[in-house]
Amino acid sequence: MQDYDMLIGGNWAASAGKQWVESVNPFTAKAWARVPRGTVADVDRAVSAAKHAFVSKEWSGMTASARGLLLFRLADLIAKHAEEIAKVETTDNGKLINEMAGQLRYIPQWFRYFGGLADKLEGRVIPIDKPGVLNFTRYEPLGVVVAITPWNSPLMLATWKLAPLLAAGNTVVWKPSEHSSVSALILGKLFKEAGFPDGVVNIVTGFGNEIGERLVTHPDVAKVAFTGGDQTGQHVYEQAARGIKHVTLELGGKSANIVFDDASMDDAIKGVISGIFAASGQTCIAGSRALIHRPIYNEFVGKLVEFAKTAKMGDPLSTETQVGPVTTPQQYKKVLEYIQIAKDEGAKCVLGGGPAKRPELGDGWFVEPTIFSEVDPKMRIAQEEVFGPVLSIIPFDTEEQAIEIANGTIFGLAAGVWTKSMRRALVMSEKLQAGTVWVNTYMAVSYLSPFGGYKRSGIGRESGIESIREYLQTKSIWIDVSESTPNPFVMR
Ligand code: TXE
């Protein structure tokens, strides 16, 4: 069992409470590492370190170009250690090594992209309507940002926050999920090695229900950037509102993968499968509802089930494995409960439908890839985020009906459309209430393209140029260059 310390003010620190959180490997169901169980006192020390670093000469006096170079250096270090960190993430959250290694190899691009953007945050000179006055704007950082991240893609989802917030000149207190903190603490070492001044990046580990409130409500915190479940997100939003803090939220979804009868069936089947069974359905963009055009419904469902049956479950560290375990016992229980709810609601289970117990799966928290057909859009299984390998299939007859069903949940994170018709692709992508729409593909993300939710899936955008604005505020500067002061009793 390995112990890892938190990073506060440039120093490695144990918890003030001297307690630990065990990190459990979802494949073996055994603890393999420990991280400090942070306390409110640890949060206070971290926020104080971030507050001092924000105004320090080393950070606030650094040119934007130099800040960008630090991010480039970090990117190179992550690339160098990508395989090793990916292994840690797979051990922590049970997601496939193929996927985690792919993410780790891609993460440096975010740091390079935002590193490059750091010295291009140009204000404007405004042709102001007052004679003798120069008016211009500057983009300035917000201050101390709290980043709260989940367990499903630990470093990727954190990177979407860390890269822009640091490029913008903020400092950060980052709380990774209690289920997957080890890779964050390894990244902490790389931040130090890259040369970030002490206190710019602080990492506090521990339970959300113990230290979350202090993080979100601390008077010296300017912004909270959160990714997680929608209930927790709502709670965080309410608490942050009390302190009038800036907030961005990424809260998951119930994304629809819509297949029309003119689509390439083989491609659509692969898209639907990868949308829900990759990562055992534990991604915010999981295509957990498949909307299938009635003329191809029976054929599609038959072929989809046959394909899904071939999924190889096993050790997530094996590159042969296609479906790994669910990450936590709580999540395992929740997924099985939803399967039962679907059965009770009358959905027809055409594949899986329970825990997967086989000798080669050991004690891991495996759930059989599960498909329900004939799902009514109003059923809970078609409305609520399960975050597991459970697909609901819903038939539809017309484009209008597909749009109504797809838009008929509280969420709006993403959607997929499978069609060969250009008209249909455009009409659907305009009418779908989702922050991302994929046509004839699914799950593509990039540092170059904005990502975020409509409706209850969230507030704000991550990735792409505009996302850096989430970590900046605009200052308007007025300089009077006229020779005489105007009448002081009249507003200019
Ligand atoms: O997430 P939480 P949990 C969904 C998924 C899952 C459900 C619950 O449906 O079943 O959420 O998962 C921190 N103040 N998603 O409980 O609680 C917590 O420590 C401040 C969707 O694991 O949302 C962790 O760092 N912070 C999702 C982070 O919030 C608090 C990813 C996320 O945990 C807190 C994960 C509090 N009071 C789960 N309580 C997605 N959108 O990708 C907890 N946290």
Side-chain angles (χ1 to χ4, degrees), residues 170-215:
N170 299 279
T171 58
V172 64
V173 178
W174 169 23
K175 197 203 86 62
S177 166
E178 51 271 36
H179 303 297
S180 61
S181 298
V182 177
S183 60
L185 298 172
I186 292 175
L187 194 65
K189 288 186 194 162
L190 303 187
F191 272 108
K192 277 176 80 70
E193 198 178 329
F196 282 81
D198 290 350
V200 169
V201 176
N202 305 275
I203 307 169
V204 177
T205 54
F207 292 105
N209 61 357
E210 292 180 356
I211 55 173
E213 182 168 350
R214 183 62 178 163
L215 279 165

Side-chain angles (χ1 to χ4, degrees), residues 58-91:
E58 291 78 20
W59 186 242
S60 70
M62 187 183 280
T63 64
S65 303
R67 257 192 343 258
L69 281 178
L70 282 181
L71 292 175
F72 292 161
R73 227 177 281 152
L74 179 75
D76 291 344
L77 286 168
I78 296 172
K80 190 170 146 199
H81 294 277
E83 308 300 320
E84 160 203 341
I85 304 175
K87 232 172 162 176
V88 164
E89 295 211 320
T90 292
T91 309

Side-chain angles (χ1 to χ4, degrees), residues 276-334:
I276 188 66
F277 298 127
S280 296
Q282 299 173 110
T283 85
C284 49
I285 47 181
S288 51
R289 294 182 297 157
L291 275 50
I292 312 297
H293 212 174
R294 189 92 59 186
I296 56 164
Y297 185 83
N298 288 335
E299 185 188 355
F300 190 94
V301 175
K303 285 187 171 167
L304 183 79
V305 169
E306 284 315 305
F307 196 110
K309 269 185 195 160
T310 65
K312 190 174 175 314
M313 302 182 88
D315 182 349
L317 278 173
S318 158
T319 51
E320 305 287 298
T321 300
Q322 292 169 319
V323 177
V326 163
T327 300
T328 67
Q330 299 93 307
Q331 195 60 29
Y332 178 70
K333 186 166 165 274
K334 176 179 166 184

Side-chain angles (χ1 to χ4, degrees), residues 373-395:
S373 69
E374 308 303 328
V375 172
D376 183 298
K378 296 271 172 303
M379 287 178 182
R380 286 184 63 192
I381 198 68
Q383 288 288 324
E384 298 171 24
E385 184 177 50
V386 178
F387 225 63
V390 182
L391 176 69
S392 298
I393 307 185
I394 304 170

